[in-house]
């Protein structure tokens, strides 16, 4: 005989073989592989179902789409494929985890508890933005946080990039190969980037560095960007650069806060995995995509690591089963 508390508990608690947290290219690819391996994956999408790509426009560098595809449409294709193969996709947000024992305990929307034999973390990362209204207004219409993804659209044009770390330096040199001129907006009188990267920037003919400079506003005609107003924070001199593209490269924030204290991370919050695998320091917990990658951050690399995570989870479960039945 169950009392009411036990009945309520059983309604709000569910045991799954494979739980996938996050729904970008990494999560969906993990879902496709896990579903085909009969792990009956359950995915919680997070608040931004489809991840960062749903906030971009055209994706031209993902193999298999010869004519390119819009980011949101591509993520819809990923979702449909994962669903068709049997993934149980649910809209929900993981609010806390307890990885102290097996099965792992994951709380969704602060109410439902999932007990998971394996957990695949694919929560991604979010680009840091300056926080200007105009930046949001023109996001995807001249404003981008990924030069490798969007630089091509500004071929032969003048663009600006803000930031002075390794990412900004790398992306500025990448853009310099495609664009006529690249303004690099650096808020201090020096770079944060490594010496080698700074050397490369300084030796690129069509990069003009604006030190002690901050972005005041991105300007446009309502449809697309045609300039950026900057201000020198030492002289207060203000000017508008005529550019059609504005790239923000001031860092990314991995969406891993809920795992803090459980999983080994680097100092900026990227989850550490054993090189060549998606294995974390916690048994049965695997991590893929941008939550563990601050270097490549591409849809295709995220998808590749999602595939690895599902295979790692499958092999882990198979090995456990083997031990139990042996
Ligand atoms: P970082 O945090 O290293 O650099 C961020 C940059 O953005 C800093 O120069 C910072 O300025 C600037 N910035 C931050 N906020 C603002 C703002 N509001 N306005 C203007 N500028 C701002 O981030 P990265 O993405 O460059 O690098 C992250 C990590 O990844 C680093 O450890 C880096 O070394 C690594 N990485 C390595 C690569 C490689 O090895 N090939 C390639 C790319 C990244 P300030 O300096 O004044 O604080």
């Amino acid at each position: 005989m169950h009392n009411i508390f036990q009945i309520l508990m059983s309604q709000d608690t569910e045991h799954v073989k494979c739980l996938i947290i996050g729904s970008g290219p990494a999560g969906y690819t993990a879902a496709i592989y896990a579903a085909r391996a009969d792990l009956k994956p359950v995915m919680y999408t997070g608040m931004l179902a489809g991840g960062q790509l749903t906030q971009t426009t055209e994706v031209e560098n993902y193999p298999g789409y010869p004519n390119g595809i819009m980011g949101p449409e591509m993520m819809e294709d990923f979702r449909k494929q994962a669903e068709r193969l049997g993934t149980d996709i649910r809209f929900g947000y993981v609010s806390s985890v307890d990885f102290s024992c097996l099965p792992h305990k994951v709380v969704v929307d602060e109410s439902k508890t999932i007990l998971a034999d394996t957990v695949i973390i694919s929560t991604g990362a979010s680009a840091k933005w300056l926080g200007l209204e105009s930046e949001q207004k023109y996001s995807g219409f001249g404003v981008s946080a990924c030069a490798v993804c969007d630089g091509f659209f500004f071929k032969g044009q003048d663009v600006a990039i803000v930031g002075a770390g390794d990412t900004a330096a790398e992306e500025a040199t990448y853009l310099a190969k495609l664009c006529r001129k690249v303004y690099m907006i650096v808020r201090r009188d020096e770079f944060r980037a490594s010496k080698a990267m700074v050397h490369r920037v300084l030796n690129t003919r069509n990069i003009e560095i604006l030190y002690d400079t901050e972005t005041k506003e991105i300007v446009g005609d309502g449809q697309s960007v045609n300039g950026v107003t900057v201000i020198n924070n030492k002289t207060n001199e203000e000017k508008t650069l005529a550019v059609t593209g504005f790239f923000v490269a001031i860092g990314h924030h991995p969406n891993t806060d809920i795992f803090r204290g459980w999983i080994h991370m680097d100092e900026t919050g990227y989850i550490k995995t054993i090189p060549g695998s998606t294995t974390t320091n916690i048994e049965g917990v695997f991590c893929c995509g941008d939550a563990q990658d601050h270097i490549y951050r591409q849809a295709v690399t995220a998808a590749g690591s999602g595939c690895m995570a599902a295979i790692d989870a499958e092999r882990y479960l198979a090995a456990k089963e083997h031990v139990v039945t042996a």
Side-chain angles (χ1 to χ4, degrees), residues 128-140 143-144 162 217-218 246 248 250:
K128 288 185 190 162
W129 296 96
L130 296 171
L132 301 170
E133 212 177 290
S134 51
E135 176 188 51
Q136 227 179 352
K137 181 175 169 183
Y138 290 109
S139 176
V143 173
S144 164
V162 58
E217 215 60 72
I218 296 136
F246 180 76
V248 182
I250 60 171

PDB file of all heavy atoms in Angstrom, residues 128-140 143-144 162 217-218 246 248 250:
ATOM      1  N   LYS A 128      29.771  36.187 -24.907  1.00  0.00           N
ATOM      2  CA  LYS A 128      29.562  37.390 -24.098  1.00  0.00           C
ATOM      3  C   LYS A 128      29.304  38.543 -25.057  1.00  0.00           C
ATOM      4  O   LYS A 128      29.947  38.643 -26.107  1.00  0.00           O
ATOM      5  CB  LYS A 128      30.810  37.686 -23.262  1.00  0.00           C
ATOM      6  CG  LYS A 128      31.014  36.705 -22.121  1.00  0.00           C
ATOM      7  CD  LYS A 128      32.198  37.151 -21.298  1.00  0.00           C
ATOM      8  CE  LYS A 128      32.587  36.095 -20.296  1.00  0.00           C
ATOM      9  NZ  LYS A 128      33.956  36.301 -19.792  1.00  0.00           N
ATOM     10  N   TRP A 129      28.395  39.384 -24.701  1.00  0.00           N
ATOM     11  CA  TRP A 129      28.048  40.545 -25.525  1.00  0.00           C
ATOM     12  C   TRP A 129      28.362  41.817 -24.759  1.00  0.00           C
ATOM     13  O   TRP A 129      28.467  41.805 -23.528  1.00  0.00           O
ATOM     14  CB  TRP A 129      26.560  40.512 -25.895  1.00  0.00           C
ATOM     15  CG  TRP A 129      26.204  39.329 -26.740  1.00  0.00           C
ATOM     16  CD1 TRP A 129      25.686  38.139 -26.319  1.00  0.00           C
ATOM     17  CD2 TRP A 129      26.360  39.199 -28.165  1.00  0.00           C
ATOM     18  NE1 TRP A 129      25.508  37.286 -27.381  1.00  0.00           N
ATOM     19  CE2 TRP A 129      25.906  37.912 -28.532  1.00  0.00           C
ATOM     20  CE3 TRP A 129      26.830  40.046 -29.168  1.00  0.00           C
ATOM     21  CZ2 TRP A 129      25.920  37.457 -29.847  1.00  0.00           C
ATOM     22  CZ3 TRP A 129      26.836  39.598 -30.489  1.00  0.00           C
ATOM     23  CH2 TRP A 129      26.379  38.305 -30.807  1.00  0.00           C
ATOM     24  N   LEU A 130      28.454  42.920 -25.497  1.00  0.00           N
ATOM     25  CA  LEU A 130      28.754  44.194 -24.851  1.00  0.00           C
ATOM     26  C   LEU A 130      27.569  44.694 -24.025  1.00  0.00           C
ATOM     27  O   LEU A 130      27.740  45.417 -23.051  1.00  0.00           O
ATOM     28  CB  LEU A 130      29.104  45.259 -25.907  1.00  0.00           C
ATOM     29  CG  LEU A 130      30.371  44.993 -26.720  1.00  0.00           C
ATOM     30  CD1 LEU A 130      30.475  45.990 -27.864  1.00  0.00           C
ATOM     31  CD2 LEU A 130      31.601  45.102 -25.837  1.00  0.00           C
ATOM     32  N   GLY A 131      26.374  44.328 -24.473  1.00  0.00           N
ATOM     33  CA  GLY A 131      25.177  44.748 -23.755  1.00  0.00           C
ATOM     34  C   GLY A 131      24.533  46.003 -24.332  1.00  0.00           C
ATOM     35  O   GLY A 131      23.697  46.627 -23.682  1.00  0.00           O
ATOM     36  N   LEU A 132      24.906  46.362 -25.546  1.00  0.00           N
ATOM     37  CA  LEU A 132      24.301  47.533 -26.186  1.00  0.00           C
ATOM     38  C   LEU A 132      22.991  47.132 -26.864  1.00  0.00           C
ATOM     39  O   LEU A 132      22.892  46.031 -27.419  1.00  0.00           O
ATOM     40  CB  LEU A 132      25.238  48.116 -27.255  1.00  0.00           C
ATOM     41  CG  LEU A 132      26.620  48.568 -26.810  1.00  0.00           C
ATOM     42  CD1 LEU A 132      27.483  48.878 -28.027  1.00  0.00           C
ATOM     43  CD2 LEU A 132      26.488  49.791 -25.904  1.00  0.00           C
ATOM     44  N   GLU A 133      22.050  48.038 -26.849  1.00  0.00           N
ATOM     45  CA  GLU A 133      20.758  47.763 -27.486  1.00  0.00           C
ATOM     46  C   GLU A 133      20.938  47.540 -29.002  1.00  0.00           C
ATOM     47  O   GLU A 133      20.339  46.646 -29.589  1.00  0.00           O
ATOM     48  CB  GLU A 133      19.832  48.954 -27.248  1.00  0.00           C
ATOM     49  CG  GLU A 133      18.373  48.549 -27.135  1.00  0.00           C
ATOM     50  CD  GLU A 133      17.517  49.754 -26.822  1.00  0.00           C
ATOM     51  OE1 GLU A 133      17.618  50.261 -25.685  1.00  0.00           O
ATOM     52  OE2 GLU A 133      16.792  50.198 -27.720  1.00  0.00           O
ATOM     53  N   SER A 134      21.806  48.375 -29.599  1.00  0.00           N
ATOM     54  CA  SER A 134      22.019  48.284 -31.051  1.00  0.00           C
ATOM     55  C   SER A 134      22.690  46.964 -31.435  1.00  0.00           C
ATOM     56  O   SER A 134      22.501  46.451 -32.532  1.00  0.00           O
ATOM     57  CB  SER A 134      22.865  49.459 -31.535  1.00  0.00           C
ATOM     58  OG  SER A 134      24.040  49.578 -30.761  1.00  0.00           O
ATOM     59  N   GLU A 135      23.463  46.425 -30.516  1.00  0.00           N
ATOM     60  CA  GLU A 135      24.136  45.139 -30.755  1.00  0.00           C
ATOM     61  C   GLU A 135      23.089  44.029 -30.895  1.00  0.00           C
ATOM     62  O   GLU A 135      23.167  43.183 -31.786  1.00  0.00           O
ATOM     63  CB  GLU A 135      25.042  44.892 -29.556  1.00  0.00           C
ATOM     64  CG  GLU A 135      25.782  43.591 -29.486  1.00  0.00           C
ATOM     65  CD  GLU A 135      26.461  43.480 -28.134  1.00  0.00           C
ATOM     66  OE1 GLU A 135      25.801  43.669 -27.089  1.00  0.00           O
ATOM     67  OE2 GLU A 135      27.642  43.188 -28.110  1.00  0.00           O
ATOM     68  N   GLN A 136      22.095  44.090 -30.042  1.00  0.00           N
ATOM     69  CA  GLN A 136      21.014  43.106 -30.072  1.00  0.00           C
ATOM     70  C   GLN A 136      20.156  43.291 -31.333  1.00  0.00           C
ATOM     71  O   GLN A 136      19.801  42.331 -32.002  1.00  0.00           O
ATOM     72  CB  GLN A 136      20.144  43.323 -28.846  1.00  0.00           C
ATOM     73  CG  GLN A 136      19.828  42.046 -28.115  1.00  0.00           C
ATOM     74  CD  GLN A 136      18.973  42.352 -26.898  1.00  0.00           C
ATOM     75  OE1 GLN A 136      18.731  43.504 -26.518  1.00  0.00           O
ATOM     76  NE2 GLN A 136      18.514  41.316 -26.274  1.00  0.00           N
ATOM     77  N   LYS A 137      19.897  44.564 -31.632  1.00  0.00           N
ATOM     78  CA  LYS A 137      19.049  44.900 -32.783  1.00  0.00           C
ATOM     79  C   LYS A 137      19.628  44.343 -34.090  1.00  0.00           C
ATOM     80  O   LYS A 137      18.897  43.837 -34.937  1.00  0.00           O
ATOM     81  CB  LYS A 137      18.934  46.425 -32.874  1.00  0.00           C
ATOM     82  CG  LYS A 137      18.079  46.928 -34.000  1.00  0.00           C
ATOM     83  CD  LYS A 137      17.923  48.433 -33.922  1.00  0.00           C
ATOM     84  CE  LYS A 137      17.298  48.989 -35.176  1.00  0.00           C
ATOM     85  NZ  LYS A 137      17.215  50.447 -35.140  1.00  0.00           N
ATOM     86  N   TYR A 138      20.941  44.435 -34.243  1.00  0.00           N
ATOM     87  CA  TYR A 138      21.569  44.008 -35.503  1.00  0.00           C
ATOM     88  C   TYR A 138      22.225  42.628 -35.420  1.00  0.00           C
ATOM     89  O   TYR A 138      22.940  42.231 -36.332  1.00  0.00           O
ATOM     90  CB  TYR A 138      22.592  45.054 -35.962  1.00  0.00           C
ATOM     91  CG  TYR A 138      21.942  46.334 -36.435  1.00  0.00           C
ATOM     92  CD1 TYR A 138      22.043  47.500 -35.679  1.00  0.00           C
ATOM     93  CD2 TYR A 138      21.209  46.370 -37.617  1.00  0.00           C
ATOM     94  CE1 TYR A 138      21.431  48.677 -36.103  1.00  0.00           C
ATOM     95  CE2 TYR A 138      20.590  47.539 -38.048  1.00  0.00           C
ATOM     96  CZ  TYR A 138      20.704  48.685 -37.287  1.00  0.00           C
ATOM     97  OH  TYR A 138      20.098  49.828 -37.712  1.00  0.00           O
ATOM     98  N   SER A 139      21.949  41.909 -34.342  1.00  0.00           N
ATOM     99  CA  SER A 139      22.515  40.562 -34.217  1.00  0.00           C
ATOM    100  C   SER A 139      22.008  39.687 -35.366  1.00  0.00           C
ATOM    101  O   SER A 139      20.801  39.557 -35.575  1.00  0.00           O
ATOM    102  CB  SER A 139      22.110  39.970 -32.858  1.00  0.00           C
ATOM    103  OG  SER A 139      22.578  38.657 -32.790  1.00  0.00           O
ATOM    104  N   GLY A 140      22.932  39.130 -36.133  1.00  0.00           N
ATOM    105  CA  GLY A 140      22.545  38.327 -37.297  1.00  0.00           C
ATOM    106  C   GLY A 140      22.360  39.186 -38.550  1.00  0.00           C
ATOM    107  O   GLY A 140      22.133  38.660 -39.632  1.00  0.00           O
ATOM    108  N   VAL A 143      25.939  42.080 -37.051  1.00  0.00           N
ATOM    109  CA  VAL A 143      26.623  41.853 -35.768  1.00  0.00           C
ATOM    110  C   VAL A 143      26.727  40.348 -35.545  1.00  0.00           C
ATOM    111  O   VAL A 143      25.744  39.625 -35.699  1.00  0.00           O
ATOM    112  CB  VAL A 143      25.855  42.521 -34.602  1.00  0.00           C
ATOM    113  CG1 VAL A 143      26.475  42.135 -33.271  1.00  0.00           C
ATOM    114  CG2 VAL A 143      25.852  44.034 -34.763  1.00  0.00           C
ATOM    115  N   SER A 144      27.930  39.902 -35.210  1.00  0.00           N
ATOM    116  CA  SER A 144      28.154  38.468 -35.041  1.00  0.00           C
ATOM    117  C   SER A 144      29.160  38.224 -33.919  1.00  0.00           C
ATOM    118  O   SER A 144      29.999  39.079 -33.632  1.00  0.00           O
ATOM    119  CB  SER A 144      28.697  37.889 -36.352  1.00  0.00           C
ATOM    120  OG  SER A 144      29.256  36.615 -36.145  1.00  0.00           O
ATOM    121  N   VAL A 162      35.705  43.751 -31.765  1.00  0.00           N
ATOM    122  CA  VAL A 162      36.022  44.234 -30.425  1.00  0.00           C
ATOM    123  C   VAL A 162      36.570  43.081 -29.581  1.00  0.00           C
ATOM    124  O   VAL A 162      36.063  41.961 -29.647  1.00  0.00           O
ATOM    125  CB  VAL A 162      34.791  44.919 -29.757  1.00  0.00           C
ATOM    126  CG1 VAL A 162      33.591  43.994 -29.668  1.00  0.00           C
ATOM    127  CG2 VAL A 162      35.152  45.440 -28.376  1.00  0.00           C
ATOM    128  N   GLU A 217      28.133  52.724 -29.918  1.00  0.00           N
ATOM    129  CA  GLU A 217      26.900  52.315 -30.581  1.00  0.00           C
ATOM    130  C   GLU A 217      27.194  51.690 -31.936  1.00  0.00           C
ATOM    131  O   GLU A 217      28.157  52.087 -32.601  1.00  0.00           O
ATOM    132  CB  GLU A 217      26.023  53.557 -30.794  1.00  0.00           C
ATOM    133  CG  GLU A 217      24.551  53.296 -30.669  1.00  0.00           C
ATOM    134  CD  GLU A 217      24.135  52.757 -29.305  1.00  0.00           C
ATOM    135  OE1 GLU A 217      24.144  53.515 -28.317  1.00  0.00           O
ATOM    136  OE2 GLU A 217      23.827  51.546 -29.246  1.00  0.00           O
ATOM    137  N   ILE A 218      26.363  50.751 -32.313  1.00  0.00           N
ATOM    138  CA  ILE A 218      26.463  50.207 -33.671  1.00  0.00           C
ATOM    139  C   ILE A 218      25.368  50.913 -34.460  1.00  0.00           C
ATOM    140  O   ILE A 218      24.220  50.981 -33.990  1.00  0.00           O
ATOM    141  CB  ILE A 218      26.250  48.682 -33.659  1.00  0.00           C
ATOM    142  CG1 ILE A 218      27.387  48.040 -32.856  1.00  0.00           C
ATOM    143  CG2 ILE A 218      26.195  48.108 -35.060  1.00  0.00           C
ATOM    144  CD1 ILE A 218      26.946  47.002 -31.924  1.00  0.00           C
ATOM    145  N   PHE A 246      30.243  43.909 -37.645  1.00  0.00           N
ATOM    146  CA  PHE A 246      30.782  44.190 -36.317  1.00  0.00           C
ATOM    147  C   PHE A 246      30.864  42.864 -35.565  1.00  0.00           C
ATOM    148  O   PHE A 246      29.847  42.198 -35.351  1.00  0.00           O
ATOM    149  CB  PHE A 246      29.864  45.176 -35.591  1.00  0.00           C
ATOM    150  CG  PHE A 246      30.354  45.530 -34.215  1.00  0.00           C
ATOM    151  CD1 PHE A 246      31.423  46.404 -34.044  1.00  0.00           C
ATOM    152  CD2 PHE A 246      29.758  44.987 -33.084  1.00  0.00           C
ATOM    153  CE1 PHE A 246      31.892  46.731 -32.777  1.00  0.00           C
ATOM    154  CE2 PHE A 246      30.216  45.302 -31.820  1.00  0.00           C
ATOM    155  CZ  PHE A 246      31.286  46.187 -31.663  1.00  0.00           C
ATOM    156  N   VAL A 248      31.979  40.636 -32.251  1.00  0.00           N
ATOM    157  CA  VAL A 248      32.217  40.717 -30.811  1.00  0.00           C
ATOM    158  C   VAL A 248      33.031  39.487 -30.417  1.00  0.00           C
ATOM    159  O   VAL A 248      32.612  38.358 -30.668  1.00  0.00           O
ATOM    160  CB  VAL A 248      30.876  40.758 -30.036  1.00  0.00           C
ATOM    161  CG1 VAL A 248      31.121  40.887 -28.538  1.00  0.00           C
ATOM    162  CG2 VAL A 248      30.017  41.917 -30.528  1.00  0.00           C
ATOM    163  N   ILE A 250      34.724  39.024 -27.121  1.00  0.00           N
ATOM    164  CA  ILE A 250      35.170  39.368 -25.763  1.00  0.00           C
ATOM    165  C   ILE A 250      35.042  38.171 -24.817  1.00  0.00           C
ATOM    166  O   ILE A 250      35.008  38.333 -23.607  1.00  0.00           O
ATOM    167  CB  ILE A 250      34.404  40.599 -25.223  1.00  0.00           C
ATOM    168  CG1 ILE A 250      32.893  40.341 -25.167  1.00  0.00           C
ATOM    169  CG2 ILE A 250      34.691  41.833 -26.092  1.00  0.00           C
ATOM    170  CD1 ILE A 250      32.116  41.429 -24.444  1.00  0.00           C
TER     171      ILE A 250
END
